Amino acid sequence: MKDAFGTPQSLLILGGTSEIALATARRLIARRTRTVWLAGRPSPDLERAAAHLRGLGAETHTVAFDALAPDSHETILGKIFAEGDIDMVLVAFGMLGDQAHDERDPVAAVRVAQTNYTGAVSAGLVCARALQAQGHGSLVVLSSVAAERARRSNFIYGSAKAGLDAFTQGLGDALHGTGVHVMVVRPGFVRTSMTAGRPETSLATTPEAVATAIELGLRRRSETVWVPGALRLVMAALRHVPRPLFRRLPL
Ligand SMILES: NC(=O)c1ccc[n+]([C@@H]2O[C@H](COP(=O)([O-])OP(=O)(O)OC[C@H]3O[C@@H](n4cnc5c(N)ncnc54)[C@H](OP(=O)(O)O)[C@@H]3O)[C@@H](O)[C@H]2O)c1
C-alpha cells in the first residue's frame, strides 16, 4: 500500500532500462519503495539496472517483457500481480525512431507506432484490470509533449504518443472512482539515451526532474503532469497557432 505521501511500496516498471523510469525508482526507493519489478527486453543493461536498485536496498526482480508482443502481456504481467499487490505501474517503454528514415520505411514507422501506442494499450489494459481487482494503485504513463500537437519533425512518434495519451486519459476516466489512479506524464526534451546526439529544445530537462514531478503527482493524485511545468502554458498557446504558421516554426 502507499503511505500518506502516495509513495508506493511496490513498483512495476515496463521498460526496465528507461533512464527516466530508473531515476523515478531511485527517488521512490529513497522514500519508501521496497520491491521493484523491472520488466523489459532481456539484456545486460536490464540486469545492471536491477543490481543497482538492489544496492539501494530494494528487492528487485527482472522479467522478460516485449511491448511488441501483446499476446504475451496478459500471462507475463498476470504472473507479477499474482506475486502480490503492485502499488504503482510505470509505463516507460518507448522509441523515438528516425523520422526521416521511417518516412521511407513504413514497416519501421509501424514499429514506432506499435511500440509507443498499441504495446501500451495491451499492457495498460492488463495492468488496469489487475489494479482494479486490488482496489488501489497508480498507473503512471510516460506520454510526451509531442502528443499535444503533431510536428513535421517527428509526427510518427508524436502521433503514436497522441494515441497513447488519449488512451490513458480515457482509461483514467474509466477507472475514476475505483480507487485506481491514472496519471499521464508529458515531459518535453529529457536528456537520456533516447535523445542523445539530438539538438536540445528549449526547456530541456533531466530524468531526475521528471522523477521529482512524478513523485509530486503521486502525492497530489494528479491526472496530468507536465515536465517542466511551464510546458503546460507553452503548449496551451502552441495548440492554437494556425497551421500555416505552426509549419514554419523551428520545432
Ligand atoms: N527522453 C525524452 O526526451 C522523452 C520525452 C518525453 C517522453 N519520453 C518517454 O519516456 C519514456 C522513457 O524514455 P527514456 O527517455 O527513459 O528513454 P530510454 O532510456 O531510451 O528508455 C526507453 C525504454 O523503452 C524500452 N523499449 C523500447 N522498445 C521496447 C520494446 N519493444 N519492449 C520493451 N521495452 C522497450 C527500452 O528497452 P531496451 O533497453 O530493451 O531498449 C528502454 O527501457 C519513453 O516512453 C519516451 O517516449 C522521453
Side-chain angles (χ1 to χ4, degrees):
M1 288 295 250
K2 292 186 200 165
D3 64 12
F5 302 105
T7 312
Q9 268 187 32
S10 52
L11 167 66
L12 165 60
I13 293 174
L14 307 184
T17 62
S18 149
E19 286 183 48
I20 293 175
L22 291 172
T24 306
R26 284 195 297 275
R27 190 166 181 96
L28 295 176
I29 290 168
R31 300 291 185 269
R32 182 162 180 259
T33 301
R34 289 291 156 260
T35 307
V36 181
W37 294 84
L38 294 182
R41 294 181 293 192
S43 70
D45 280 352
L46 188 66
E47 294 310 320
R48 255 193 300 277
H52 175 65
L53 298 186
R54 278 182 207 117
L56 299 178
E59 181 188 325
T60 306
H61 313 272
T62 57
V63 178
F65 168 86
D66 188 342
L68 292 173
D71 290 350
S72 67
H73 291 176
E74 192 134 34
T75 306
I76 290 170
L77 300 173
K79 280 184 187 159
I80 297 173
F81 277 91
E83 294 285 325
D85 281 9
I86 300 289
D87 299 323
M88 171 178 165
V89 179
L90 178 57
V91 178
F93 57 80
M95 69 181 290
L96 203 47
D98 176 340
Q99 174 77 29
H101 170 271
D102 297 348
E103 282 179 31
R104 297 186 306 274
D105 183 347
V107 174
V110 165
R111 196 176 313 124
V112 173
Q114 289 179 331
T115 303
N116 291 300
Y117 179 44
T118 57
V121 168
S122 73
L125 288 173
V126 172
C127 290
R129 199 172 57 222
L131 292 170
Q132 203 177 343
Q134 288 177 179
H136 69 94
S138 289
L139 179 64
V140 179
V141 177
L142 291 177
S143 174
S144 168
V145 71
E148 190 68 8
R149 188 164 182 183
R151 286 182 288 142
R152 169 67 190 95
S153 57
N154 74 348
F155 65 82
I156 297 173
Y157 172 78
S159 63
K161 285 293 191 188
L164 169 70
D165 199 292
F167 169 80
T168 307
Q169 290 178 55
L171 193 58
D173 290 339
L175 293 179
H176 186 73
T178 64
V180 179
H181 161 230
V182 178
M183 184 163 88
V184 180
V185 182
R186 295 192 191 126
F189 186 107
V190 188
R191 296 180 197 105
T192 68
S193 56
M194 181 174 278
T195 51
R198 303 202 181 224
E200 284 195 10
T201 60
S202 56
L203 298 176
T205 189
T206 61
E208 288 72 25
V210 182
T212 303
I214 289 175
E215 191 194 14
L216 188 62
L218 286 173
R219 194 177 305 168
R220 293 178 173 164
R221 283 181 84 84
S222 305
E223 293 181 327
T224 313
V225 169
W226 296 84
V227 199
L231 275 176
R232 187 174 67 84
L233 289 176
V234 172
M235 291 313 295
L238 276 180
R239 196 183 303 137
H240 300 292
V241 172
R243 275 182 68 191
L245 179 58
F246 187 74
R247 214 175 272 142
R248 290 207 295 274
L249 293 176
L251 295 169

